[in-house]
Structure formats: C-alpha cells, structure tokens
Amino acid sequence: MRRKNNSGIAWVSILAALATAAGIFFLPEYHFWFLAILLLNFLVALAFSKRYNNAALTICRLLVGALFIFSSFTKGVDPLGTKYKILDYLAVYHMTWLNGLAMVLAVGLILAEFLVGICLLTKVYPRLAVLGATLLMLFFTFTTLFDAVYDLVPDCGCFGTAIKMSNWQTFYKNLVIDTVLIPLIMNNKRLENKLSGPAQFAIGCLYAAAFLGFEVYNYRHLPVVDFMAWKVGSQLNAEPAEASQIYLTYKNKATGETKEYLSPNYPWNDSVWMSQWEFVGQRTEGGDNYLGFTALDENGDDMTEMILSTENLLMFTSHDLSKVTEKEWQKVKAITEAADRHGYYVIWVVADAPEYVDELRAKYDFLYEAYYADELEIKTIVRYNPGLVWLDNGLVVDKWSAVDFSKALKIF
C-alpha cells in the first residue's frame, strides 16, 4: 500500500521527462533551462526509483522500448546511411583502421537497438534488455556529450535522416532516456516474464532474424521509407527557398592538418589531393538547403538547373565508379540503349575525377554525359553504388539500386 501511495513522484518524474523532451525539441533556445530541469529530474528518478509502482515501471519500460524501436527503424531503413555516419565517427576518433568493418558495425548496432527495444516492449528477457539498454545509453550519452562539447560530428544520425537535431539537443534527448531508464535499472528484479527460457530465446531469435532481413533488404533495394530530399514523388527545385552555404572539413592523412572549404569550392576533381585528404565533417550556414546538390561539368559550370528542368531524364549516380562491377556495367548498357530508343535523356553524376571518367569512357562507350558532384551529396540521392534516378522536370518519378536495374529496364 505504501508503494502505491508514494508513487505520485514517479508519475511527476515521467511527465517532467516527456515535457522536457518536447521543450528541448521545439524550444532549443532555452536548452540551458531544460538542462537544469533534466539534471534535477535525473536525481529525483535516482533517489526515488524504489517508489515506482508496477504501473509506473510499465510506462517506463514501454517508453524506452518504443524509443529504441523507433530509433532502430529510422536507421534500419537506411543501413548505408548509418555506415557513412560510423565512418565519420571513426575518422574523428582516429580509428580509420576499422573502416572495413563499418557496415558490420552499422548493422550490428541497429540490430542491438531493435532487440533491446522489442524485448522491452514485449517483456522478453526484460532484465537482459534493461542491461542492454543501459550499456547502449552509456555509450550514446558519453559519445553525444563529446559531440556537443567539441562539435566532432555535426549530426549523430541517432534517428537516421528522419529527425535532425543539434548535438546539444541529441545529448539532452539521451539524458531524458536515462531518466526514464533509471527506475528500470534500480527495479530490475521486479521485471519478470513467465515464459520459459527456451521460449523467450526462440522469440528473441525470430525478432533478430526478421529485423536482420529488413536491414538487408533496405541495404540492397534502397530504403522502404525514404526520409531524404530525393525520395520518390519529391518535386526538386534548383535553388533552395533561402540561400545557404555548406562547409566541408577535410583532414590531411599524413600531417593531421584540417581545412574547411565552402562546397563545391574545393579540389574534388584532383585525384592526388583526394587521396591525401579525408572527409571529417560538414556544417550548414544560412537557410535550409532543401536540395543539397550541385552538379558541375568538366569546366566547373553549374548544370544543376539543366538537370532539374529536363523531361524524362535518367540520371545514373556513383560516388565511386571503381566499385561498379562488370555485371552492373552490362545492366547500365542495356538500360542506356533502351532509354535512347525511347527518347530518354541519359546522364551520369559522379564523384570521381574527370580523368578517370575519360578512362572508363574508352572502355564503356555508352558512358556519355558525365557531371560531377560531392560524394556526400551523391550518397543522399541514391545510397547504393551505382544507382539510377528517373527525373521529369525535377520530379523524382522513381529510383533504383543496381540490384533492381532489371526492374528499371522493363520500364525503359
């Protein structure tokens, strides 16, 4: 009876956490006030966690579980995007020796988030799920704190491309989760599941297999839910509603020196320079650059408006032409020839140097018209390398990864 009578502070703490989360997102200018409230609420949850009754603990469990599931879904629909974000982190933490494992790390991290979330939500292995959530939140909280203080990576990608938050907002968001997680940690022994161990294990394996399949599908066939500007059905404009500027930071691999460039005014077409410098991060100033894309010809002239004002244009994309396989080149050839017969205009937008494109053109004579853009910009158009976009006066009619080029061929 006493636990029930004293549980009011638990509900106040939960409501305060939710209200603070909303305030941090919608009123970022007051973030220091919200930080004070967060820290106070954190201490309250820690001090009075034993007063949480079963109903309050259930709400905490459902909130944390739902958030982990949402976070894993927004990244699971775009595992390549998470890979690129991990590469950013490996670069700033001087751990590029792990770059070869970036895809495995991305898939594993997303899967771990999902399993923690779904197990909390369905109360399968609840104690183990709380332990997993604790370890993940320790990692996320300290990582985002360093991000906020030192501005290492401009966007942590915690919710993929679905929700963008500043580094400080992301850190505060993690503190909110920590506050709701604390009662679950302190009352871990009260979380039980009446199912047998083998039954819970079987259910957990089904969860893992299903979500892993979901990730693999999105990796090969493009996101089933596209949160980026170049999603199918978007009407793209050559100019953003308000002027904005994107600054890219590169680091010299040998000396560690960093330089910031206003995109696209950096030596992106100098293969020697690109081999000596690596991308570190980017920031945006000014208005909202909705498109985030600039395509230049070999002379440096901006061809973006032409691309977005042409009817029935097929745009192949590649952020690294050296990784296009011979089988994929043959699919490209078939699509190009079919498109020519039916009056489609075919171009390429690539991140490679013009000299390398000329070398490839000698072998693949169907590689007609090529324009050049930043590697990061190309990756936001089509994640897969290579990709294909069907544009009609700036309208994204459809797009495909190389895996689905055979489907595109049936249309053209």
Side-chain angles (χ1 to χ4, degrees):
M1 190 72 179
R2 184 179 178 183
R3 179 177 289 167
K4 182 177 180 181
N5 291 337
N6 291 336
S7 63
I9 196 166
W11 295 107
V12 171
S13 178
I14 293 171
L15 291 174
L18 295 175
T20 306
I24 289 168
F25 185 77
F26 293 107
L27 300 169
E29 63 271 21
Y30 298 105
H31 63 98
F32 284 118
W33 289 103
F34 289 123
L35 176 60
I37 297 172
L38 268 174
L39 293 176
L40 177 61
N41 197 24
F42 185 90
L43 294 174
V44 168
L46 191 62
F48 297 96
S49 59
K50 292 297 183 180
R51 298 190 181 186
Y52 281 58
N53 61 14
N54 290 335
L57 286 177
T58 298
I59 294 299
C60 290
R61 176 173 57 81
L62 295 178
L63 285 174
V64 176
L67 191 66
F68 268 83
I69 290 175
F70 177 73
S71 176
S72 61
F73 175 81
T74 57
K75 292 195 282 287
V77 295
D78 183 18
L80 275 171
T82 303
K83 172 193 172 182
Y84 300 146
K85 189 59 62 178
I86 286 177
L87 288 172
D88 290 345
Y89 275 102
L90 293 177
V92 299
Y93 283 105
H94 309 290
M95 298 174 66
T96 52
W97 51 275
L98 279 173
N99 282 359
L101 295 174
M103 193 70 242
V104 175
L105 293 173
V107 171
L109 177 63
I110 300 168
L111 180 60
E113 274 195 83
F114 174 77
L115 286 175
V116 164
I118 194 67
C119 286
L120 281 174
L121 207 63
T122 60
K123 216 174 181 182
V124 171
Y125 281 132
R127 296 178 183 177
L128 187 59
V130 169
L131 175 61
T134 303
L135 295 175
L136 286 172
M137 288 312 303
L138 281 172
F139 173 73
F140 292 150
T141 302
F142 283 104
T143 300
T144 53
L145 174 60
F146 284 123
D147 272 355
V149 174
Y150 299 106
D151 198 25
L152 299 175
V153 177
D155 172 28
C156 76
C158 296
F159 294 120
T161 54
I163 299 177
K164 296 290 186 180
M165 294 186 293
S166 70
N167 286 337
W168 279 112
Q169 284 179 313
T170 304
F171 171 63
Y172 296 158
K173 178 264 296 179
N174 286 336
L175 288 182
V176 171
I177 301 173
D178 293 339
T179 301
V180 182
L181 180 60
I182 283 175
L184 298 176
I185 298 172
M186 302 299 291
N187 294 280
N188 193 264
K189 292 183 179 180
R190 291 166 57 188
L191 302 176
E192 296 178 345
N193 188 313
K194 295 181 180 180
L195 291 175
S196 66
Q200 293 185 72
F201 180 77
I203 294 172
C205 288
L206 287 175
Y207 288 154
F211 195 77
L212 186 59
F214 176 71
E215 288 191 78
V216 171
Y217 181 89
N218 287 295
Y219 167 76
R220 289 174 54 82
H221 300 279
L222 303 185
V224 294
V225 180
D226 196 341
F227 295 107
M228 292 177 286
W230 287 77
K231 62 186 176 183
V232 174
S234 293
Q235 179 64 57
L236 305 175
N237 300 308
E239 297 294 334
E242 299 179 45
S244 63
Q245 295 176 319
I246 299 177
Y247 291 88
L248 305 175
T249 302
Y250 278 82
K251 183 179 70 173
N252 188 289
K253 296 178 181 178
T255 65
E257 176 189 6
T258 59
K259 288 186 179 181
E260 186 176 67
Y261 299 88
L262 174 62
S263 181
N265 301 325
Y266 69 102
W268 54 268
N269 59 348
D270 185 338
S271 57
V272 175
W273 187 91
M274 289 297 290
S275 68
Q276 297 172 344
W277 294 74
E278 61 183 3
F279 173 78
V280 175
Q282 71 177 48
R283 64 183 179 87
T284 303
E285 287 187 357
D288 181 20
N289 190 340
Y290 169 72
L291 184 57
F293 169 71
T294 302
L296 308 177
D297 64 13
E298 293 183 8
N299 299 316
D301 296 323
D302 192 340
M303 306 301 293
T304 311
E305 186 175 355
M306 181 279 293
I307 292 173
L308 297 180
S309 59
T310 300
E311 295 181 356
N312 285 327
L313 180 141
L314 296 184
M315 183 174 76
F316 286 100
T317 63
S318 175
H319 58 263
D320 189 350
L321 285 168
S322 68
K323 294 182 179 179
V324 180
T325 67
E326 189 60 37
K327 183 178 180 181
E328 289 168 344
W329 278 119
Q330 293 310 310
K331 291 181 180 179
V332 169
K333 179 180 180 181
I335 292 174
T336 302
E337 291 175 348
D340 285 344
R341 290 194 300 269
H342 294 88
Y344 289 85
Y345 184 31
V346 181
I347 67 169
W348 278 80
V349 174
V350 301
D352 298 87
E355 295 82 7
Y356 182 61
V357 174
D358 288 337
E359 291 178 18
L360 290 175
R361 193 175 283 128
K363 182 178 180 181
Y364 307 107
D365 58 359
F366 50 88
L367 204 171
Y368 305 140
E369 213 167 315
Y371 300 106
Y372 305 89
D374 182 78
E375 177 182 345
L376 294 177
E377 295 175 352
I378 293 175
K379 287 177 179 178
T380 64
I381 299 172
V382 181
R383 289 300 197 195
Y384 205 92
N385 181 68
L388 175 62
V389 183
W390 176 8
L391 292 168
D392 187 23
N393 286 318
L395 174 67
V396 182
V397 181
D398 211 339
K399 62 181 185 179
W400 302 267
S401 72
V403 175
D404 294 321
F405 277 179
S406 57
K407 295 179 181 179
L409 183 60
K410 294 178 182 179
I411 298 175
F412 308 117

